């Protein structure tokens, strides 16, 4: 298995874990008799756990090596997918989701940092396609979860089997990951790495794209139901169209970046997404709105992946840079659905999606922050040996 195929499989596995768990949340709520408010608090523990874990991920990768950190953390993420449904009581769900979030966030950081290092070695963009495979893994596992729920398969059995299967795949993928180069003379990342000013500028681009992604994914079906009087099937189709066009664009994104460059790609994406936002806001029929959501998905697809790649070149180490931007994008995905919901309630759904349109325009304006910078200097043992002594 080549290094590229190995990290591609890691991204697909990470997405599959997320997709598998999300489909069994209703089972979790019914099994533990959780009120909507309690379920919301339980689910909030996952991003909290991610926020706690992500800033420490680069330090872990430095200590044990990026390859080993990726192998261990992706395996842990696979194993933990079944933990919430196996808990003996509802109180145990809070620490379970905290641990799940920490595993999700730290594995996200180290696998993206590993991808940045491999991308630099290959001399071409690969990260957009890797995020596309994450979406493919999530959609495929989500489809399996929907079938399992439809046929009444107990979530404990379903997720335990999924955990073992994905664990086996993760171990196979781990053997093909890029080996770490010996490094000396490079300072260790901070124990708790918050974004620097330069990384924050890159992170704002990812923040805008992730905000539009999170808001659209959570509100697309509701929007066409409330504004365009769509039925349940058409509403579900609108969400699916958004996700499929975004995933498809990510799979093709590296070719586009290779032709246009990261800055021009994100700026063009901002224009496409803004046109989609106008269609969503102005449209009053399901298919016009669905076309708008498709364009939003196309326009924002590669902004976050390219922000990770740029951060990996900007930070004192790839892991520290990616950790900073990932923290920003997780914050965006957490607050976006709530802000759009508040705006829709206080004003209207079209007014709320006008805000999204303005945000994707801002994404294009800020795209200059992704301009390539000098690579983070590393000193290998071979280089060190060639230097004259003191």
């Amino acid at each position: 298995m080549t290094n590229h195929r190995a990290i591609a499989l890691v991204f697909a596995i990470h997405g599959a874990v997320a997709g598998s768990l999300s489909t069994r949340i209703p089972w979790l709520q019914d099994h533990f008799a959780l009120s909507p408010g309690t379920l919301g608090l339980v689910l909030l523990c996952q991003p909290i756990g991610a926020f706690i874990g992500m800033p420490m991920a680069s330090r872990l990768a430095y200590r044990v090596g990026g390859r080993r950190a990726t192998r261990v953390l992706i395996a842990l993420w696979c194993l933990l997918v079944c933990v919430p449904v196996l808990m003996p009581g509802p109180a145990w769900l809070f620490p379970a989701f905290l641990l799940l979030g920490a595993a999700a966030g730290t594995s996200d950081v180290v696998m993206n940092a590993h991808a940045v290092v491999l991308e630099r070695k290959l001399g071409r963009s690969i990260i957009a396609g890797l995020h596309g495979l994450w979406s493919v893994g999530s959609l495929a596992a989500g489809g399996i979860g929907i079938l399992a729920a439809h046929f009444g398969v107990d979530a404990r059995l379903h997720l335990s089997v999924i955990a073992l299967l994905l664990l086996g795949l993760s171990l196979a993928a781990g053997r093909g990951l890029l080996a770490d180069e010996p490094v000396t003379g490079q300072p260790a990342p901070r124990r708790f790495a918050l974004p620097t000013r330069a990384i924050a500028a890159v992170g704002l681009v990812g923040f805008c794209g992730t905000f539009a992604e999170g808001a659209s994914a959570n509100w697309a079906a509701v929007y066409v139901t409330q504004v365009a009087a769509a039925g349940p099937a058409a509403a579900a189709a609108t969400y699916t169209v958004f996700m499929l066009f975004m995933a498809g664009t990510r799979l093709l994104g590296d070719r586009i970046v290779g032709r246009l460059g990261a800055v021009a790609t994100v700026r063009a994406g901002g224009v496409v997404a803004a046109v989609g936002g106008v269609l969503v806001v102005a449209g009053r029929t399901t298919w016009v709105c669905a076309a708008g959501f498709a364009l939003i998905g196309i326009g924002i697809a590669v902004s976050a992946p390219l922000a990770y790649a740029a951060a990996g070149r900007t930070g004192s180490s790839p892991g520290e840079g990616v950790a900073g931007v990932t923290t920003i994008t997780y914050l965006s995905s957490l607050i976006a659905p709530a802000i759009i919901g508040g705006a829709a309630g206080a004003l209207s759904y079209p007014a709320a999606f006008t805000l999204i349109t303005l945000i994707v325009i801002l994404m294009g304006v800020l795209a200059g922050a992704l301009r390539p910078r000098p690579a983070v200097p590393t000193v290998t043992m071979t280089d060190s040996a060639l230097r004259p002594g003191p």
Side-chain angles (χ1 to χ4, degrees):
M1 185 182 296
T2 65
N3 300 145
H4 190 180
R5 290 180 178 175
I7 193 63
L9 182 55
V10 167
F11 271 77
I13 290 169
H14 196 284
V17 174
S20 297
L21 182 62
S22 64
T23 60
R24 304 319 302 257
I25 297 300
W27 183 96
L28 199 72
Q29 182 177 18
D30 291 341
H31 180 73
F32 290 105
L34 303 176
S35 68
T38 302
L39 178 61
L41 291 175
V42 167
L43 296 179
L44 183 61
C45 289
Q46 186 166 343
I48 291 173
F51 277 118
I52 294 171
M54 285 186 298
M56 297 182 283
S58 58
R59 182 83 174 194
L60 174 64
Y62 178 86
R63 291 298 184 195
V64 305
R67 184 174 187 261
R68 182 181 296 175
T70 303
R71 294 179 66 179
V72 170
L73 290 173
I74 195 65
L76 179 63
W77 175 228
C78 292
L79 282 174
L80 289 178
V81 68
C82 62
V83 168
V85 297
L86 297 176
M87 290 295 97
W92 289 91
L93 294 176
F94 294 96
F97 272 87
L98 279 171
L99 184 60
L100 198 69
T106 52
S107 59
D108 196 356
V109 169
V110 296
M111 75 185 193
N112 273 285
H114 192 90
V116 170
V117 174
L118 179 59
E119 185 175 77
R120 188 184 303 162
K121 181 180 179 181
L122 295 175
R124 58 186 174 86
S125 176
I126 63 170
I127 200 161
L130 295 178
H131 281 257
L133 289 171
W134 189 99
S135 299
V136 170
S138 179
L139 288 169
I144 293 172
I146 290 170
L147 289 175
H150 176 74
F151 288 106
V153 178
D154 191 290
R156 291 167 291 193
L157 173 62
H158 165 221
L159 292 182
S160 295
V161 172
I162 289 293
L164 293 176
L165 289 175
L166 293 179
L167 175 63
L169 287 174
S170 74
L171 295 176
R175 289 194 291 269
L177 292 175
L178 180 68
D180 296 312
E181 294 185 5
V183 176
T184 59
Q186 183 175 325
R190 292 167 291 166
R191 294 183 185 277
F192 194 84
L194 294 177
T196 63
R197 182 178 298 180
I199 292 172
V202 173
L204 283 176
V205 179
F207 180 96
C208 293
T210 308
F211 188 100
E213 178 184 345
S216 297
N218 282 274
W219 288 98
V222 176
Y223 186 93
V224 294
T225 300
Q226 298 296 325
V227 175
T238 301
Y239 165 80
T240 303
V241 163
F242 168 74
M243 294 298 295
L244 287 176
F245 272 83
M246 185 171 63
T249 304
R250 283 177 173 169
L251 291 173
L252 298 173
D254 294 315
R255 296 181 184 180
I256 301 171
V257 174
R259 289 177 178 271
L260 301 180
V263 175
T265 299
V266 173
R267 284 178 176 164
V271 173
V272 172
V275 172
V278 170
L279 287 179
V280 169
V281 171
R284 292 296 183 269
T285 65
T286 301
W287 300 115
V288 171
C289 291
F293 280 111
L295 290 177
I296 292 175
I298 292 170
I300 66 174
V302 299
S303 58
L306 291 180
Y308 294 143
R313 298 188 297 265
T314 302
S316 61
S317 70
E320 186 168 340
V322 171
V325 167
T326 305
T327 302
I328 293 171
T329 56
Y330 263 68
L331 173 64
S332 177
S333 63
L334 178 63
I335 67 175
I339 290 176
I340 295 304
L347 300 172
S348 67
Y349 285 98
F353 274 82
T354 299
L355 174 61
I356 293 176
T357 305
L358 294 174
I359 285 175
V360 296
I361 292 172
L362 180 62
M363 178 188 77
V365 171
L366 297 174
L370 303 181
R371 193 165 283 111
R373 299 171 181 264
V376 176
T378 59
V379 182
T380 65
M381 288 182 178
T382 303
D383 294 333
S384 179
L386 293 175
R387 294 180 178 177

